[in-house]
Amino acid sequence: MNVVRLALFPFAILYGIITSIRNFLFDIGIIKSYSFNIPVIAVGNLSVGGTGKTPQIESLIRLLSPHYKVATLSRGYKRKSKGFILANAHSTARNLGDEPMQYYMKFPHIQVAVDADRCNGINQLLKQESKPQVILLDDAFQHRKVKAGFYILLTAYDDLYYQDFIVPTGNLRESRRGAKRADMIIVTKCPPAISQIAQHAIKKKIGLDIPIFFSCIVYEDTLYNGTNTMAVADCKANENVLLAGIAKPKSFFEHLGAKKENTIVFADHHHFSESDIMTIKNRAINKIVITTEKDFVRLQTPVLKEQLYYLPIKSQLISNQDSFDQIITNYVGTCSGNR
């Protein structure tokens, strides 16, 4: 913990008190929560960014969309629009947000919506002619005006919530006690070879009698750019430019064996300006630009079209996949909306 963050400790205490009072008022019903007659799964975290929410939402889409009409609802962080928007062929990352746009591009058979007011967003989805049978709330663990039917809390292996503290001293959005609202916890971004002993130790530290799973990030072997593909193995030895505008890009760069002088880093959810595009273009003369899937949806421009590729990732449970699938499908299948 750096000196500046330590000096801000009194503000962290104040922020923790404010969020605890807010949660208490929701718990006792002074501030009203709204529930819906449809399965609503909220995926979120206690910390600020970088826990792998997007690949986890995608894994739920893959599990549920063959059997149910699925919709995702996000606030559309840093989008240049307001209110409820349902993704369509004219949507862009600028008016939808990068993560929702990624869902829409990968899963065109589902409904993808954004609305900062999640209650309104759900009501609008339910007014659609083809209304969803399951709604996945992206980054909604603290959005308590909606009472989801099932809460999945994510915590990253290298930044476990029970070892952290409230912002600005730490990275937590609320007290660690907030984990008690979860119906399931997934420890994300684990080493694929994490031992049973290490898993047991983490479960013991969490100390909650709910299902706890462990997942890792799996990178594909192929790069994509919308029209062409390229094997990762064929480009590792080449001189490339690697670009990331995500919360924690370290593993992305390490997986591709990036040299520091060949990397470009932007802030998470950065909107690329024309100046940014030209800077990237000039750095990548006669080179390939490899980026993350989330950045790719914000970087689609004719200027970089031919040389811009992205590397997809997936969230994969290390064990007990059948158990996870059964818990989720049992909830969705027995919820009043699908009973």
Side-chain angles (χ1 to χ4, degrees):
M1 186 182 298
N2 62 41
V3 176
V4 175
R5 283 199 159 197
L6 190 59
L8 293 172
F9 182 74
F11 295 97
I13 295 295
L14 178 61
Y15 182 73
I17 291 171
I18 292 170
T19 56
S20 294
I21 291 172
R22 175 181 179 270
N23 281 326
F24 176 72
L25 294 176
F26 272 111
D27 291 341
I28 64 176
I30 298 297
I31 305 179
K32 186 172 176 56
S33 295
Y34 297 88
S35 57
F36 296 86
N37 189 31
I38 181 176
V40 177
I41 301 175
V43 177
N45 48 26
L46 294 182
S47 62
V48 179
T51 56
K53 292 184 297 292
T54 302
Q56 185 56 52
I57 289 284
E58 291 182 354
S59 72
L60 291 171
I61 294 171
R62 293 187 186 94
L63 172 64
L64 295 171
S65 62
H67 312 290
Y68 299 97
K69 294 177 182 177
V70 173
T72 65
L73 178 60
S74 313
R75 62 173 166 162
Y77 184 61
K78 285 197 174 182
R79 62 186 170 117
K80 303 299 183 181
S81 62
K82 295 186 181 297
F84 176 82
I85 295 179
L86 186 64
N88 57 46
H90 303 291
S91 296
T92 66
R94 185 165 287 271
N95 63 27
L96 203 65
D98 49 13
E99 290 155 347
M101 192 64 200
Q102 181 175 318
Y103 302 146
Y104 180 71
M105 291 174 64
K106 290 183 77 169
F107 307 101
H109 58 291
I110 73 167
Q111 292 171 304
V112 176
V114 294
D115 197 333
D117 183 341
R118 309 298 171 88
C119 286
N120 181 67
I122 293 175
N123 283 321
Q124 292 298 322
L125 281 168
L126 296 179
K127 290 178 183 177
Q128 301 300 312
E129 184 175 347
S130 178
K131 65 181 182 181
Q133 296 171 298
V134 186
I135 295 177
L136 306 177
L137 295 182
D138 185 7
D139 195 13
F141 201 78
Q142 284 78 36
H143 195 93
R144 299 202 58 189
K145 285 189 177 180
V146 171
K147 184 173 176 57
F150 197 91
Y151 287 91
I152 301 176
L153 176 66
L154 307 183
T155 182
Y157 174 80
D158 62 352
D159 191 19
L160 294 161
Y161 76 86
Y162 59 76
Q163 297 174 337
D164 207 345
F165 200 76
I166 296 171
V167 294
T169 298
N171 293 317
L172 296 185
R173 298 171 173 180
E174 61 172 300
S175 164
R176 303 169 193 173
R177 293 190 297 273
K180 293 180 180 179
R181 298 198 304 275
D183 297 289
M184 172 192 292
I185 292 177
I186 302 178
V187 181
T188 62
K189 301 184 178 182
C190 296
I194 183 173
S195 68
Q196 290 293 325
I197 294 174
Q199 292 181 42
H200 178 74
I202 292 172
K203 289 180 179 180
K204 188 175 180 181
K205 287 282 189 180
I206 289 173
L208 297 175
D209 188 21
I210 58 175
I212 299 174
F213 296 90
F214 296 80
S215 70
C216 61
I217 292 296
V218 176
Y219 291 90
E220 288 198 20
D221 297 326
T222 304
L223 301 170
Y224 301 84
N225 81 342
T227 55
N228 300 317
T229 61
M230 179 183 301
V232 172
D234 291 342
C235 72
K236 272 190 175 181
N238 298 333
E239 288 294 319
N240 304 303
V241 173
L242 276 72
L243 182 154
I246 57 176
K248 297 179 180 179
K250 182 180 177 182
S251 60
F252 170 73
F253 289 142
E254 287 181 346
H255 178 76
L256 291 171
K259 299 176 182 177
K260 188 174 182 180
E261 59 268 24
N262 289 345
T263 62
I264 305 176
V265 179
F266 289 90
D268 196 17
H269 300 283
H270 178 75
H271 280 292
F272 296 97
S273 65
E274 290 185 11
S275 175
D276 293 330
I277 300 296
M278 291 313 301
T279 297
I280 296 166
K281 183 72 175 179
N282 291 334
R283 282 280 302 273
I285 295 173
N286 298 323
K287 295 179 181 180
I288 291 168
V289 180
I290 304 173
T291 190
T292 69
E293 194 167 7
K294 190 167 75 170
D295 291 309
F296 181 80
V297 302
R298 287 180 278 117
L299 273 169
Q300 293 189 73
T301 168
V303 176
L304 295 173
K305 185 176 180 180
E306 298 300 322
Q307 63 192 119
L308 182 66
Y309 287 77
Y310 69 89
L311 177 63
I313 63 172
K314 288 183 180 180
S315 176
Q316 179 176 293
L317 292 185
I318 291 170
S319 61
N320 301 316
Q321 182 70 57
D322 290 344
S323 176
F324 173 87
D325 293 352
Q326 185 174 15
I327 291 170
I328 298 299
T329 54
N330 281 352
Y331 160 68
V332 173
T334 57
C335 185
S336 57
N338 290 327
R339 193 172 290 156

